[in-house]
Amino acid sequence: MAGNAALSWDGSAPPSGRTETSRTVEAGRLALRVTAVGSDTAPAVTVTELPSPGVLLVEAATAAPDTRLRIEWQLPCTGATAYWTPDTNARWLPPSWSPPREVSLPKGAPVGSLVGPGDRALCTFAVGEPVRPVTIGEGAVEETGRYGWWVEQDGPRLALRLDLSGRHFADTVRESAAWWGTLVPVRAVPDAAFEPVFCTWYALHLAMTSADVERLAALAAPLGFRSLIVDDGWQTDERTRSYATTGDWRPAPHDFPDFAGHVRRVQDLGLAYLLWHAIPFAGDRSEAAGRLAGHTLAHLPQLETFLLDPRSATVRAHQVERLAAAVEVHGVDGLKIDFVDTFAREPAPGTAPAAAPGTASPEADCATVAEGVHRLLAELDARLRAARPDVLVEHRQDYVGPGLWPYATMVRAADCPLGAVENRVRTADLRLTAGPLAVHADPLTWHPRESPERIAVLLQSVLFATAQVSVDLAAQDAGQLTALAFWLGVMKEHRDLLQRGELRPHRPESAYPVIEARSGARLAFGRYAPLPLRADGEWELLLVANADQDTLVRVGFDRAPGTVDLLVQDCRGGTVARARTPVGGTELSVRVPTGGLLTLRR
């Protein structure tokens, strides 16, 4: 069996072909090997026990130039049930010979967790690098039954946080993200970022006009939506799936003739207006492609666009000027910034380099593309906030790392149309690493004949995120609209609990069949499989959203709750049962319809 080596067969990092000097240090029950690659001097290493029991900070440093630093460690792979990373891939254990992942500001986040029985983290790690590339090797070593990791980046410093506390993996990942918050500026996110969004993409794709958008906006506002994202299509009168016209970022003259007036009409409905931009692109038929020739990383023929080099000051000036015009000239409330992860894209077969391999824009003013993206987003952010301090900015998976937090207000799940399970897992994953940002679902969409029950299940799948929806609202019947409005109302009423509460998604190896959130004495469950729930500890409010076909919901308690007010509602919010009832034991069984809601109050 063979593969691109991430770890050698004994679980160590592959040879670099350069001079390497290592030292081994003890860190709790681990022995870590710390290496300076390209130096004949061993790196300095410090290990600090952090206030949380079982949590260590490992810091390596070198003064040698042109040196990479690497930290390696292993654990017995006993009881492991899943391997969690923030990119929502399969959760089974990768083999040690799997290709390493490279994360940087445009793509991914440097964190992972080996999960054991009861969702306990056997080992959670995070690297303290918000911008520059970090290479991560991780996998099960078949020869020894151990699990091995290595992390590596260019010097002069490398900081690694290790959590061996054995707590719930979600708690350890969330605390790793809180540690990142000490390394980057953290801004307050406006409440508007947590309110439901109507998006045009799945409803209209590119076939839209200002009149189409205003028609949908007028239907969306009374349902409880508070923002509108106008997606790809506003900048072109074309109807084909192509990015050939990106880069100039001017409204389509035929379909959007009076853009500022159009924006005002939508805002007058009570909706914030966000506008889509693909920030890395200069399309083949754009004026920008000629203006920015020589300042590109590659040509992407399948997308019909050039990939711009953000290390170029000319590129950054152009993109900042054009994107800021949406706010400064047209008066929009924010931007949907798409395709940032394309800056980190590996060349695919058939992808033509825009210049000779290894060359860059002659203006390149930083060493890595990731640092160029950082400068581009920082310059754009300064311009946007000068015009509108409460500007809304959406990013999406896979650009989810902490280096992006200062430049966004929300982060959205990657595209998963009609995928309730995938949307559920992606939004839950994002909640663990998003820091202060609002986490948004990929827009929910469904067939015009979908049942109200299944529409409710789609909304329940993203209960712990901000809902986005993209359907032709005019084609929905009364039952469909009632289910939509009911669940948007539930999300609004309990927003602090559902979106800001302490989140624990359970059983990552099974796509989170149960998710819970707790905020003080309030507790909420999303039930996506026929499993019993545990509501231990003190609570005054308990919500159960039943998205499973099994309608017998069983809730266990560590003590008898006493008398409770019980309310069962169906997928449209209609009352199925209401009672004030004593619960003298430690288990309660209640019939809750699929797509329905159980509410208990003490």
Side-chain angles (χ1 to χ4, degrees), residues 470-501:
S470 187
V471 294
D472 183 356
L473 293 172
Q476 309 301 304
D477 64 29
Q480 293 169 317
L481 292 175
T482 301
L484 174 57
F486 169 63
W487 278 101
L488 289 179
V490 171
M491 292 171 162
K492 177 182 179 180
E493 180 181 358
H494 302 290
R495 183 173 299 140
D496 283 346
L497 167 61
L498 298 174
Q499 293 194 48
R500 294 187 173 102

Side-chain angles (χ1 to χ4, degrees), residues 60 67-69 102-110 127-136 152-159 366-372 374 402-403:
T67 300
R68 286 179 66 81
L69 290 168
E102 182 168 290
V103 303
S104 61
L105 182 135
K107 184 175 175 61
V127 178
E129 175 52 66
V131 177
R132 297 182 302 135
V134 177
T135 306
I136 300 169
E152 183 176 295
Q153 74 170 149
D154 290 337
R157 294 177 182 83
L158 175 59
C366 47
T368 66
V369 170
E371 291 168 290
H374 187 236

Side-chain angles (χ1 to χ4, degrees), residues 51 77 123 132 161 212 288 330 335 381 404 500 528 549:
C77 193
C123 178
R132 297 182 302 135
R161 186 183 190 272
D212 295 326
H330 304 307
L335 304 180
D381 179 76
L404 295 160
R500 294 187 173 102
Y528 309 103
Q549 293 299 304

Side-chain angles (χ1 to χ4, degrees), residues 103-129:
V103 303
S104 61
L105 182 135
K107 184 175 175 61
V111 62
S113 183
L114 183 64
V115 184
D119 297 330
R120 292 186 303 105
L122 304 177
C123 178
T124 295
F125 80 91
V127 178
E129 175 52 66

Side-chain angles (χ1 to χ4, degrees), residues 30 73 75 83 112-115 121-125 149 162-164:
L30 295 180
W73 71 102
L75 281 173
Y83 191 66
S113 183
L114 183 64
V115 184
L122 304 177
C123 178
T124 295
F125 80 91
W149 292 263
L162 291 172
D163 192 320
L164 306 170

Side-chain angles (χ1 to χ4, degrees), residues 437-569:
L437 305 185
V439 170
H440 283 224
D442 186 54
L444 303 175
T445 190
W446 53 83
H447 190 276
R449 293 197 299 272
E450 186 60 275
S451 69
E453 177 183 278
R454 296 308 302 172
I455 292 170
V457 168
L458 286 169
L459 287 153
Q460 290 172 325
S461 71
V462 299
L463 184 66
F464 302 95
T466 300
Q468 290 197 20
V469 173
S470 187
V471 294
D472 183 356
L473 293 172
Q476 309 301 304
D477 64 29
Q480 293 169 317
L481 292 175
T482 301
L484 174 57
F486 169 63
W487 278 101
L488 289 179
V490 171
M491 292 171 162
K492 177 182 179 180
E493 180 181 358
H494 302 290
R495 183 173 299 140
D496 283 346
L497 167 61
L498 298 174
Q499 293 194 48
R500 294 187 173 102
E502 184 180 274
L503 192 77
R504 281 189 173 181
H506 295 285
R507 302 289 298 273
E509 75 280 7
S510 299
Y512 302 146
V514 173
I515 301 177
E516 68 172 292
R518 182 182 289 272
S519 178
R522 297 172 298 162
L523 182 61
F525 289 96
R527 180 181 182 263
Y528 309 103
L531 297 175
L533 309 174
R534 293 294 310 177
D536 294 334
E538 295 293 331
W539 56 269
E540 296 174 358
L541 170 70
L542 191 153
L543 306 175
V544 179
N546 181 38
D548 192 70
Q549 293 299 304
D550 173 37
T551 61
L552 184 60
V553 172
R554 292 170 294 154
V555 185
F557 310 96
D558 58 353
R559 69 200 76 173
T563 300
V564 300
D565 291 317
L566 177 150
L567 174 64
V568 178
Q569 294 167 280

Side-chain angles (χ1 to χ4, degrees), residues 286-302:
S286 69
E287 295 176 11
R291 185 179 305 117
L292 301 174
H295 303 289
T296 58
L297 297 169
H299 181 248
L300 308 178
Q302 186 176 8

Side-chain angles (χ1 to χ4, degrees), residues 404-458:
L404 295 160
W405 293 353
Y407 313 122
T409 56
M410 57 265 254
V411 57
R412 175 180 61 83
D415 294 14
C416 48
L418 303 170
V421 175
E422 185 176 357
N423 225 343
R424 173 175 87 230
V425 176
R426 288 188 177 278
T427 51
D429 286 347
L430 284 171
R431 282 288 308 276
L432 301 183
T433 59
L437 305 185
V439 170
H440 283 224
D442 186 54
L444 303 175
T445 190
W446 53 83
H447 190 276
R449 293 197 299 272
E450 186 60 275
S451 69
E453 177 183 278
R454 296 308 302 172
I455 292 170
V457 168
L458 286 169

